[in-house]
Amino acid sequence: MPSRPVPQPTPETQHFWDGTRAGELRLQRCLDCGAIYFPPRPFCPACSSGDVEVFAASGRARLASFVINHRPAPGFEAPYVIALVDLEEGPRMMTNLVGVDPVPEALSVDMPLEVVFEAVSDEIQLPLFRPAGGSAS
Amino acid sequence: MNEAIAIVGAAETTDLGKIPHMSQIQLHADAARNTLADCGLGPGDIDGIATAGESPVNLAHYLGITPAWVDGTSVGGCSFMVHVRHAAAALRAGLCKTVLITHGESGRSRVGRGGFARPAASLSGQFEMPFGPVGPPTLFTLPVMRYLHTYGVTEEQLAQVAVVQRDWAGRNPRAYMRDPISVDDVLGSTMIAWPFRKLMCCLVTDGGGALVLTTADRARDLRRPPVWVLGTGEAVETPMVSQMEDLTSSKAFRLASAQAFGEAGIGPRDVDHLMIYDAFAHLPLYGLEDLGFVGRGEAAAFIGDGHTAPGGRLPLNTNGGGLSYAHSGMYGMYALQESVRQMRGVAPAQIEGANLSVAHGVGGMFAASGTVVMSRELP
């Protein structure tokens, strides 16, 4: 099966991908205005301050929105869930849901989720989400 | 007082739908030549060129035009609305005298067409593409479950958008899909990305269109009645659909339309005819609400009650839209063409007495937006 698209880290995003490899979902926080943001960049999108830090998020999230894709895609077996999740800390990100059937009956907006990591190459682990309270993988 | 700007030429490609005998740049040229013929001008009369999906340099050279002004703004399917805005400013500033805006896209036959790639090192390439959104049918639709959940809108109501637009398409001989459909037909069509079925997604066709704009003094000497550009707006939000501020509303829609309505000095109640770029069935819902035609969460019921259908008080997407008329990839030009036809009084489903039309576009999965307010009369 051909691989799904593999991210290519840049200097500004390297900490995120180092984090997923270490089992952490890393976000950034502005030390001036307190904004927590994603995707990564070395300055705060809310106030432009360059005084920012990287920290490990809780990995807890809620399902913000989703589709169940029924069309073929490289590296995927349809149907599969493409999701937007609102992280507990505030930022939203795109992901896939795992550990749940890709059917409307199994999914509900706002359902609680938790992050898991899945290797797609030697360098890259992707953050995916499963229903909260799922068994340890 | 700003000088008045008019659309004096407008035409689409000779054919629409399947045009495998033309490459993409020839689709631009076919539309451009039809448009020049429409307004009685030649290439030598054009000194400004704007286009998207193709370099304005390529187009100028291909058409044999040496422009004094070019605009290659390419922000997705609403680029042509944005071009109208930029052209109006350039004409008022005296940077050029007559502008040609073109669109051509071999969306179905894919002759001489570039790809749609997102580099693996871009933010979208790192934080969206790995999760398998294979294109607009999964990207553009991703916010919609949040909208349906927030306002209690049903799949049946979403399907109704496509049903009403097919009703309009049935009145248009150039529409690609014309047979009437029911809500059950829509819900029973091929599942693409739940809750979206095939009939909730736009067509994939070949085609093009072009516009010629100039200032009032020249406009009055040309052969077609001028369609006056009363106001324009443009806005961008985010290249990543996952990063929209609000999944149930487009910031770019709100900003672009407010700018255009403000410039024109109009409100939603003044609008006789409306085009809202419908790449997917939810876009008229977001558009009706973000442009202020109805309150939050009211658009589906508004459409369901027939207000946007033939005979309704707010005729919407009267060519059949991207869902049933044509959609080559960057649909905005076709929405503008239908507004011009309505203001000229020559649309296949002509709205009697329509004096004010709004064409509202979206680009790049809610990334960008452009709005143009047009009228058959100067206020």
Side-chain angles (χ1 to χ4, degrees), chain A residues 4-10 13 16-17 38-40 63-74 76 80 82-84 92-96 104 109-110 126-128, chain B residues 120-123 125-139 141-147 149 191-196 240-247:
Chain A
R4 61 167 88 194
V6 178
Q8 183 180 324
T10 62
T13 66
F16 181 88
W17 297 114
F38 174 87
L63 182 58
S65 196
F66 64 97
V67 294
I68 305 169
N69 189 29
H70 285 250
R71 298 196 311 159
F76 289 85
Y80 60 96
I82 306 170
L84 298 179
R92 190 192 307 125
M93 61 187 299
M94 193 181 293
T95 188
N96 298 121
V109 168
D110 290 333
L126 290 178
L128 307 181
Chain B
S122 68
L123 289 177
Q126 291 183 67
F127 299 112
E128 292 191 334
M129 293 304 112
F131 305 108
V134 283
T138 41
L139 276 172
T141 55
L142 203 35
V144 177
M145 278 309 297
R146 170 57 62 176
Y147 177 91
H149 174 83
M191 186 63 78
I192 301 294
W194 189 88
F196 282 80
M240 303 169 75
V241 73
S242 59
Q243 301 306 314
M244 290 174 74
E245 277 183 11
D246 179 346
L247 296 177

Side-chain angles (χ1 to χ4, degrees), chain A residues 6-29 36-42 53-59 85 87 89 91-96 115-118 120 123-129, chain B residues 120-128 130-131 240 242-243:
Chain A
V6 178
Q8 183 180 324
T10 62
E12 299 80 19
T13 66
Q14 188 65 51
H15 68 267
F16 181 88
W17 297 114
D18 289 346
T20 57
R21 217 156 42 145
E24 289 184 357
L25 186 67
R26 292 181 183 166
L27 298 175
Q28 285 169 297
R29 177 191 289 118
I36 295 172
Y37 64 89
F38 174 87
R41 72 209 82 170
E53 67 171 3
V54 173
F55 71 99
S58 69
V85 300
L87 302 177
E89 293 80 5
R92 190 192 307 125
M93 61 187 299
M94 193 181 293
T95 188
N96 298 121
V115 73
V116 293
F117 298 97
E118 182 173 308
V120 290
E123 301 296 317
I124 297 292
Q125 301 240 358
L126 290 178
L128 307 181
F129 283 78
Chain B
S122 68
L123 289 177
S124 180
Q126 291 183 67
F127 299 112
E128 292 191 334
F131 305 108
M240 303 169 75
S242 59
Q243 301 306 314

Side-chain angles (χ1 to χ4, degrees), chain B residues 20-47:
Chain B
H21 57 284
M22 283 189 192
S23 68
Q24 185 153 298
I25 194 157
Q26 181 56 30
L27 292 168
H28 281 260
D30 185 51
R33 288 157 59 82
N34 288 344
T35 301
L36 290 172
D38 175 68
C39 59
L41 295 176
D45 298 310
I46 301 298
D47 62 353

Side-chain angles (χ1 to χ4, degrees), chain B:
Chain B
M1 177 69 183
N2 279 331
E3 187 171 8
I5 303 297
I7 297 169
V8 295
E12 295 174 349
T13 43
T14 308
D15 298 316
L16 279 179
K18 296 174 186 168
I19 319 175
H21 57 284
M22 283 189 192
S23 68
Q24 185 153 298
I25 194 157
Q26 181 56 30
L27 292 168
H28 281 260
D30 185 51
R33 288 157 59 82
N34 288 344
T35 301
L36 290 172
D38 175 68
C39 59
L41 295 176
D45 298 310
I46 301 298
D47 62 353
I49 290 224
T51 192
E54 187 71 60
S55 156
V57 180
N58 294 357
L59 187 71
H61 178 256
Y62 195 74
L63 292 173
I65 291 170
T66 305
W69 175 87
V70 294
D71 179 12
T73 302
S74 189
V75 292
C78 63
S79 297
F80 315 102
M81 284 81 172
V82 175
H83 293 155
V84 168
R85 175 171 171 80
H86 295 179
L91 290 164
R92 285 189 180 117
L95 303 183
C96 52
K97 296 182 171 66
T98 309
V99 172
L100 172 69
I101 303 172
T102 71
H103 161 68
E105 200 162 9
S106 186
R108 184 175 194 91
S109 302
R110 309 214 156 222
V111 185
R113 180 178 196 253
F116 175 82
R118 301 199 177 197
S122 68
L123 289 177
S124 180
Q126 291 183 67
F127 299 112
E128 292 191 334
M129 293 304 112
F131 305 108
V134 283
T138 41
L139 276 172
F140 220 152
T141 55
L142 203 35
V144 177
M145 278 309 297
R146 170 57 62 176
Y147 177 91
L148 301 182
H149 174 83
T150 300
Y151 296 115
V153 172
T154 64
E155 293 173 64
E156 287 74 14
Q157 287 179 296
L158 193 58
Q160 183 67 25
V161 175
V163 171
V164 171
Q165 293 202 193
R166 184 61 64 82
D167 195 358
W168 282 113
R171 293 151 203 259
N172 188 342
R174 264 167 75 87
Y176 193 74
M177 302 289 272
R178 302 186 59 206
D179 294 339
I181 51 174
S182 67
V183 166
D184 285 345
D185 291 334
V186 177
L187 294 178
S189 62
T190 306
M191 186 63 78
I192 301 294
W194 189 88
F196 282 80
R197 281 75 163 177
K198 187 172 185 179
L199 291 177
M200 299 171 176
C201 304
C202 68
L203 303 167
V204 180
T205 65
D206 304 323
L211 299 169
V212 171
L213 279 75
T214 192
T215 48
D217 54 331
R218 287 183 179 78
R220 292 198 171 90
D221 296 334
L222 294 171
R223 60 198 287 186
R224 300 287 182 209
V227 174
W228 301 102
V229 177
L230 300 190
T232 59
E234 64 185 296
V236 298
E237 184 181 355
T238 166
M240 303 169 75
V241 73
S242 59
Q243 301 306 314
M244 290 174 74
E245 277 183 11
D246 179 346
L247 296 177
T248 70
S249 168
S250 164
K251 178 180 171 183
F253 277 19
R254 299 193 306 271
L255 294 176
S257 61
Q259 206 170 42
F261 283 25
E263 203 174 289
I266 65 150
R269 281 196 188 84
D270 301 313
V271 176
D272 302 317
H273 170 253
L274 179 60
M275 299 297 291
I276 296 175
Y277 190 129
D278 58 322
F280 294 90
H282 62 292
L283 288 164
L285 305 181
Y286 281 58
L288 284 168
E289 295 174 18
D290 286 334
L291 272 61
F293 287 96
V294 299
R296 290 275 155 226
E298 295 175 2
F302 187 76
I303 289 174
D305 289 343
H307 296 307
T308 63
R313 63 183 150 101
L314 183 61
L316 170 67
N317 294 344
T318 50
N319 58 353
L323 295 178
S324 287
Y325 177 66
H327 198 298
S328 50
M330 300 171 84
Y331 168 81
M333 176 58 79
Y334 307 95
L336 288 162
Q337 294 285 335
E338 175 66 6
S339 284
V340 170
R341 285 191 293 266
Q342 289 286 350
M343 293 299 93
R344 286 178 171 181
V346 298
Q350 182 62 41
I351 308 305
E352 287 307 314
N355 188 49
L356 194 83
S357 177
V358 169
H360 177 77
V362 66
M365 273 62 74
F366 287 122
S369 185
T371 312
V372 179
V373 179
M374 289 157 271
S375 177
R376 69 171 75 201
E377 292 167 4
L378 274 177

